[in-house]
Amino acid sequence: MAAPDESTKRSDPGHPPHILPTDRLNAFADGVFAIVITLLVLELPVPEVADGLLWALLEQWPDFLAYIISFVFIGGFWITHAAITRLTEQEDQVTFRLTLITLFFISLIPFSTSLMATHLTGSGSRLSVLLYGLNLLIASIMLSGIMRYLARRRELLVDDLAEEDVDDMERKRRSGIIFNAIGVLLALLFPPLAVAAYIGVAFFFFLQPLLYKRIIRRSLKT
């Protein structure tokens, strides 16, 4: 029997041309997250002093603070993206591009983190904290955009129940976007307060599932 013609393969209704392999996208995204986390820690400066190492480390508190905030944010982004891919059965041209744009802003986080850490206490604190907040805000908006698109394209999800999960995640992410936006506005007025807002948002959403589990356990006991 003759081999099937290439044009027949391309027109196979079981494999529409707009559907792209999910494993390629997920592997690429995981690789970017891993590289970004690695670059983040490589940006931490090592004090070059012969004496007073402890004091030199303490003087670098802006670098460590910025690192912690960014690590928690990136970890939260990765967890959310992993949850999205768990609910997604197929990817198309739009989800590929939305993910790439999201990863673009996530890949900028090591730079904006270093910028904020370097100028956190200087004259450029307002601009550096503002740019850092905008970086996190746009990355959050893009991640939410992926979820909103998937909620409208039910055929890309694993089942009908997945749509409810995506909607629930998008609502939670929306509140994070609002608080991030507040932090950006605070950066224009009082940068230290904006940094405090970034810390609060990062740790709240990172620890949110643990808090919910604890509340559920207490309600079951009572």
PDB file of all heavy atoms in Angstrom, residues 3 10 20 27 47 57 65 81 106 116 119 129 162 169 190 208 213:
ATOM      1  N   ALA A   3       2.240   4.990   0.760  1.00  0.00           N
ATOM      2  CA  ALA A   3       2.244   5.832   1.961  1.00  0.00           C
ATOM      3  C   ALA A   3       1.269   6.978   1.775  1.00  0.00           C
ATOM      4  O   ALA A   3       1.076   7.483   0.667  1.00  0.00           O
ATOM      5  CB  ALA A   3       3.654   6.369   2.212  1.00  0.00           C
ATOM      6  N   ARG A  10      -1.858  16.668   6.518  1.00  0.00           N
ATOM      7  CA  ARG A  10      -2.089  18.032   7.008  1.00  0.00           C
ATOM      8  C   ARG A  10      -3.576  18.324   7.141  1.00  0.00           C
ATOM      9  O   ARG A  10      -3.989  19.106   7.977  1.00  0.00           O
ATOM     10  CB  ARG A  10      -1.460  19.033   6.027  1.00  0.00           C
ATOM     11  CG  ARG A  10       0.055  18.993   6.013  1.00  0.00           C
ATOM     12  CD  ARG A  10       0.612  20.214   5.290  1.00  0.00           C
ATOM     13  NE  ARG A  10       2.021  20.045   4.981  1.00  0.00           N
ATOM     14  CZ  ARG A  10       2.495  19.685   3.812  1.00  0.00           C
ATOM     15  NH1 ARG A  10       1.642  19.415   2.821  1.00  0.00           N
ATOM     16  NH2 ARG A  10       3.794  19.562   3.600  1.00  0.00           N
ATOM     17  N   LEU A  20      -1.267  22.788  18.674  1.00  0.00           N
ATOM     18  CA  LEU A  20       0.171  22.605  18.797  1.00  0.00           C
ATOM     19  C   LEU A  20       0.480  21.691  19.980  1.00  0.00           C
ATOM     20  O   LEU A  20      -0.325  21.569  20.905  1.00  0.00           O
ATOM     21  CB  LEU A  20       0.855  23.963  18.985  1.00  0.00           C
ATOM     22  CG  LEU A  20       0.665  24.943  17.809  1.00  0.00           C
ATOM     23  CD1 LEU A  20       1.233  26.310  18.160  1.00  0.00           C
ATOM     24  CD2 LEU A  20       1.328  24.410  16.555  1.00  0.00           C
ATOM     25  N   ALA A  27       7.645  22.128  28.367  1.00  0.00           N
ATOM     26  CA  ALA A  27       9.072  21.927  28.583  1.00  0.00           C
ATOM     27  C   ALA A  27       9.832  23.246  28.446  1.00  0.00           C
ATOM     28  O   ALA A  27      10.738  23.545  29.232  1.00  0.00           O
ATOM     29  CB  ALA A  27       9.613  20.900  27.589  1.00  0.00           C
ATOM     30  N   PRO A  47      30.408  39.563  49.005  1.00  0.00           N
ATOM     31  CA  PRO A  47      31.299  40.592  49.554  1.00  0.00           C
ATOM     32  C   PRO A  47      32.765  40.183  49.434  1.00  0.00           C
ATOM     33  O   PRO A  47      33.126  39.055  49.758  1.00  0.00           O
ATOM     34  CB  PRO A  47      30.872  40.681  51.025  1.00  0.00           C
ATOM     35  CG  PRO A  47      29.525  40.063  51.093  1.00  0.00           C
ATOM     36  CD  PRO A  47      29.490  39.023  50.022  1.00  0.00           C
ATOM     37  N   LEU A  57      27.677  41.446  54.795  1.00  0.00           N
ATOM     38  CA  LEU A  57      26.449  40.764  54.362  1.00  0.00           C
ATOM     39  C   LEU A  57      25.203  41.537  54.812  1.00  0.00           C
ATOM     40  O   LEU A  57      24.224  41.642  54.055  1.00  0.00           O
ATOM     41  CB  LEU A  57      26.421  39.338  54.923  1.00  0.00           C
ATOM     42  CG  LEU A  57      27.383  38.335  54.269  1.00  0.00           C
ATOM     43  CD1 LEU A  57      27.412  37.040  55.067  1.00  0.00           C
ATOM     44  CD2 LEU A  57      26.978  38.054  52.826  1.00  0.00           C
ATOM     45  N   LEU A  65      16.627  41.049  50.227  1.00  0.00           N
ATOM     46  CA  LEU A  65      15.187  41.312  50.286  1.00  0.00           C
ATOM     47  C   LEU A  65      14.570  41.209  48.897  1.00  0.00           C
ATOM     48  O   LEU A  65      13.531  40.556  48.712  1.00  0.00           O
ATOM     49  CB  LEU A  65      14.935  42.703  50.876  1.00  0.00           C
ATOM     50  CG  LEU A  65      13.463  43.137  50.936  1.00  0.00           C
ATOM     51  CD1 LEU A  65      12.663  42.217  51.857  1.00  0.00           C
ATOM     52  CD2 LEU A  65      13.350  44.590  51.400  1.00  0.00           C
ATOM     53  N   HIS A  81       1.192  28.434  36.553  1.00  0.00           N
ATOM     54  CA  HIS A  81       1.323  27.921  35.185  1.00  0.00           C
ATOM     55  C   HIS A  81       1.213  26.403  35.155  1.00  0.00           C
ATOM     56  O   HIS A  81       0.619  25.826  34.232  1.00  0.00           O
ATOM     57  CB  HIS A  81       2.656  28.368  34.584  1.00  0.00           C
ATOM     58  CG  HIS A  81       2.802  28.002  33.142  1.00  0.00           C
ATOM     59  ND1 HIS A  81       3.486  26.880  32.733  1.00  0.00           N
ATOM     60  CD2 HIS A  81       2.331  28.584  32.009  1.00  0.00           C
ATOM     61  CE1 HIS A  81       3.431  26.795  31.419  1.00  0.00           C
ATOM     62  NE2 HIS A  81       2.746  27.809  30.951  1.00  0.00           N
ATOM     63  N   ILE A 106       8.537  37.532  32.606  1.00  0.00           N
ATOM     64  CA  ILE A 106       9.123  36.782  33.719  1.00  0.00           C
ATOM     65  C   ILE A 106      10.649  36.751  33.586  1.00  0.00           C
ATOM     66  O   ILE A 106      11.370  36.855  34.582  1.00  0.00           O
ATOM     67  CB  ILE A 106       8.532  35.363  33.768  1.00  0.00           C
ATOM     68  CG1 ILE A 106       7.073  35.420  34.225  1.00  0.00           C
ATOM     69  CG2 ILE A 106       9.346  34.463  34.707  1.00  0.00           C
ATOM     70  CD1 ILE A 106       6.346  34.101  34.195  1.00  0.00           C
ATOM     71  N   MET A 116      16.167  47.218  41.339  1.00  0.00           N
ATOM     72  CA  MET A 116      15.549  47.688  42.569  1.00  0.00           C
ATOM     73  C   MET A 116      16.493  47.535  43.754  1.00  0.00           C
ATOM     74  O   MET A 116      16.593  48.427  44.600  1.00  0.00           O
ATOM     75  CB  MET A 116      14.244  46.931  42.842  1.00  0.00           C
ATOM     76  CG  MET A 116      13.524  47.431  44.091  1.00  0.00           C
ATOM     77  SD  MET A 116      11.952  46.597  44.412  1.00  0.00           S
ATOM     78  CE  MET A 116      12.520  44.976  44.935  1.00  0.00           C
ATOM     79  N   HIS A 119      19.177  50.286  43.759  1.00  0.00           N
ATOM     80  CA  HIS A 119      18.713  51.661  43.998  1.00  0.00           C
ATOM     81  C   HIS A 119      17.601  51.739  45.034  1.00  0.00           C
ATOM     82  O   HIS A 119      16.868  52.735  45.069  1.00  0.00           O
ATOM     83  CB  HIS A 119      18.227  52.267  42.683  1.00  0.00           C
ATOM     84  CG  HIS A 119      19.283  52.340  41.625  1.00  0.00           C
ATOM     85  ND1 HIS A 119      20.260  53.310  41.601  1.00  0.00           N
ATOM     86  CD2 HIS A 119      19.538  51.525  40.560  1.00  0.00           C
ATOM     87  CE1 HIS A 119      21.052  53.124  40.566  1.00  0.00           C
ATOM     88  NE2 HIS A 119      20.641  52.043  39.913  1.00  0.00           N
ATOM     89  N   VAL A 129      11.754  50.973  42.009  1.00  0.00           N
ATOM     90  CA  VAL A 129      10.643  50.233  42.622  1.00  0.00           C
ATOM     91  C   VAL A 129       9.433  50.242  41.698  1.00  0.00           C
ATOM     92  O   VAL A 129       8.691  49.248  41.614  1.00  0.00           O
ATOM     93  CB  VAL A 129      10.297  50.827  44.004  1.00  0.00           C
ATOM     94  CG1 VAL A 129       9.052  50.165  44.582  1.00  0.00           C
ATOM     95  CG2 VAL A 129      11.470  50.655  44.965  1.00  0.00           C
ATOM     96  N   ALA A 162     -12.915  21.495  34.330  1.00  0.00           N
ATOM     97  CA  ALA A 162     -11.683  22.286  34.291  1.00  0.00           C
ATOM     98  C   ALA A 162     -11.984  23.771  34.090  1.00  0.00           C
ATOM     99  O   ALA A 162     -11.241  24.631  34.565  1.00  0.00           O
ATOM    100  CB  ALA A 162     -10.770  21.786  33.183  1.00  0.00           C
ATOM    101  N   MET A 169      -9.198  30.143  39.447  1.00  0.00           N
ATOM    102  CA  MET A 169      -7.821  30.620  39.477  1.00  0.00           C
ATOM    103  C   MET A 169      -7.714  32.035  38.943  1.00  0.00           C
ATOM    104  O   MET A 169      -6.955  32.856  39.474  1.00  0.00           O
ATOM    105  CB  MET A 169      -6.921  29.679  38.652  1.00  0.00           C
ATOM    106  CG  MET A 169      -6.622  28.354  39.312  1.00  0.00           C
ATOM    107  SD  MET A 169      -5.248  27.494  38.487  1.00  0.00           S
ATOM    108  CE  MET A 169      -5.900  27.314  36.833  1.00  0.00           C
ATOM    109  N   PHE A 190       5.609  56.659  47.837  1.00  0.00           N
ATOM    110  CA  PHE A 190       6.481  56.255  48.945  1.00  0.00           C
ATOM    111  C   PHE A 190       7.011  54.854  48.663  1.00  0.00           C
ATOM    112  O   PHE A 190       6.354  53.868  48.990  1.00  0.00           O
ATOM    113  CB  PHE A 190       5.690  56.297  50.258  1.00  0.00           C
ATOM    114  CG  PHE A 190       6.552  56.155  51.475  1.00  0.00           C
ATOM    115  CD1 PHE A 190       7.585  57.043  51.719  1.00  0.00           C
ATOM    116  CD2 PHE A 190       6.323  55.128  52.381  1.00  0.00           C
ATOM    117  CE1 PHE A 190       8.382  56.912  52.842  1.00  0.00           C
ATOM    118  CE2 PHE A 190       7.111  54.992  53.511  1.00  0.00           C
ATOM    119  CZ  PHE A 190       8.151  55.900  53.744  1.00  0.00           C
ATOM    120  N   GLN A 208      -1.267  30.985  50.319  1.00  0.00           N
ATOM    121  CA  GLN A 208      -2.731  30.924  50.325  1.00  0.00           C
ATOM    122  C   GLN A 208      -3.293  29.507  50.402  1.00  0.00           C
ATOM    123  O   GLN A 208      -4.185  29.240  51.221  1.00  0.00           O
ATOM    124  CB  GLN A 208      -3.273  31.641  49.086  1.00  0.00           C
ATOM    125  CG  GLN A 208      -4.777  31.852  49.096  1.00  0.00           C
ATOM    126  CD  GLN A 208      -5.236  32.543  47.827  1.00  0.00           C
ATOM    127  OE1 GLN A 208      -4.847  32.154  46.727  1.00  0.00           O
ATOM    128  NE2 GLN A 208      -6.028  33.582  47.970  1.00  0.00           N
ATOM    129  N   LYS A 213      -6.191  25.274  53.579  1.00  0.00           N
ATOM    130  CA  LYS A 213      -6.237  23.927  54.146  1.00  0.00           C
ATOM    131  C   LYS A 213      -6.398  23.969  55.655  1.00  0.00           C
ATOM    132  O   LYS A 213      -7.120  23.168  56.247  1.00  0.00           O
ATOM    133  CB  LYS A 213      -4.966  23.163  53.767  1.00  0.00           C
ATOM    134  CG  LYS A 213      -4.936  22.691  52.323  1.00  0.00           C
ATOM    135  CD  LYS A 213      -3.696  21.869  52.051  1.00  0.00           C
ATOM    136  CE  LYS A 213      -3.675  21.373  50.609  1.00  0.00           C
ATOM    137  NZ  LYS A 213      -2.459  20.565  50.315  1.00  0.00           N
TER     138      LYS A 213
END
